[in-house]
């Protein structure tokens, strides 16, 4: 058996435009100049409080910014034009892996559980993941807690566990948990950042990822 854990934003879902807009609204509500697009995307994967601490500084009203961000996301999601697209191939790989007898699927994300539940329902994935770990229940990445909890819930060992993510935080979290850090080449952090954070491998697309997972023996 293998445990394959996915990050969401930047890995399965291309949510960058909505993340940046929600941040813009949160900062504007506090009359603070919003960060650059590059800065906004650099923190995707962290929990909200950690992300706003990085973006605005420890002296900023971090909790209030976080709450404004949540409110902005609720407003954005209610807009009829809202469309948080999956990356090409995401639907297919999740469906394929969910049908494999030797694979358990997991999620480890900086998103809130409510946002994850919305995605799983919308994508038809509600019953496909064996373990779902969110920022509501654990310290922010790169702390290893989410992966450790996922392994406890599934009964699988670090040597048989793969963390799939687009950010350096995902790779560092995987390394801290003693599992395999696998980077993706289409997300919000550069290849160099993923390599520096300890990625064992960086895949170019979901087809390459699927071949890699299918060929890897349960260790």
């Amino acid at each position: 058996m293998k445990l394959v854990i996915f990050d969401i934003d930047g890995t399965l879902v291309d949510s960058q435009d909505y993340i940046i807009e929600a941040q813009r609204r949160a900062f504007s509500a506090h009359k603070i100049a919003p960060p650059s697009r590059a800065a906004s995307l650099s923190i995707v994967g962290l929990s909200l409080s950690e992300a706003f601490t990085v973006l605005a500084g420890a002296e900023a009203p971090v909790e209030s910014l976080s709450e404004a961000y949540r409110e902005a996301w609720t407003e954005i999601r209610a807009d009829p034009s809202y469309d948080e697209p999956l990356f090409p191939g995401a639907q297919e790989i999740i469906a394929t892996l969910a049908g494999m007898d030797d694979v358990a699927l997991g999620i480890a994300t900086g998103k809130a559980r409510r946002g994850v539940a919305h995605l799983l329902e919308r994508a038809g994935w509600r019953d496909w993941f064996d373990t779902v770990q969110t920022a509501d229940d654990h310290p922010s990445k790169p702390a290893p807690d989410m992966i450790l909890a996922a392994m406890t819930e599934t009964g699988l060992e670090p040597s048989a566990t793969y963390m799939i993510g687009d950010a350096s935080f995902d790779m560092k979290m995987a390394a801290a948990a003693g599992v395999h850090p696998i980077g993706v080449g289409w997300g919000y952090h550069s290849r160099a950042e993923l390599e520096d954070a300890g990625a064992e491998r960086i895949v170019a697309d979901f087809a390459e990822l699927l071949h890699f997972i299918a060929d890897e023996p349960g260790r």
Side-chain angles (χ1 to χ4, degrees), residues 13-72:
V13 178
D14 189 6
S15 48
Q16 58 182 307
D17 290 341
Y18 298 102
I19 290 171
I20 290 168
E21 175 59 16
Q23 285 185 21
R24 185 195 68 76
R25 295 186 190 187
F27 279 106
S28 295
H30 290 78
K31 296 181 169 51
I32 301 173
S36 67
R37 186 180 186 89
S40 290
L41 293 179
S42 73
I43 53 75
V44 175
L46 296 177
S47 66
L48 283 181
S49 59
E50 183 70 18
F52 279 111
T53 299
V54 172
L55 291 174
E59 302 305 313
V62 169
E63 291 309 314
S64 182
L65 282 165
S66 299
E67 184 56 33
Y69 179 92
R70 294 186 192 97
E71 292 173 359

Side-chain angles (χ1 to χ4, degrees), residues 165-212:
D166 74 299
S168 59
F169 314 122
D170 299 310
M171 304 300 99
K172 291 177 180 178
M173 176 175 64
V179 308
H180 302 284
I182 309 299
V184 302
W186 55 82
Y188 306 149
H189 284 196
S190 69
R191 185 182 188 93
E193 288 174 303
L194 295 174
E195 290 173 341
D196 289 345
E200 289 182 5
R201 181 187 183 108
I202 300 174
V203 296
D205 52 35
F206 280 115
E208 181 182 346
L209 177 60
L210 180 58
H211 290 147
F212 169 71

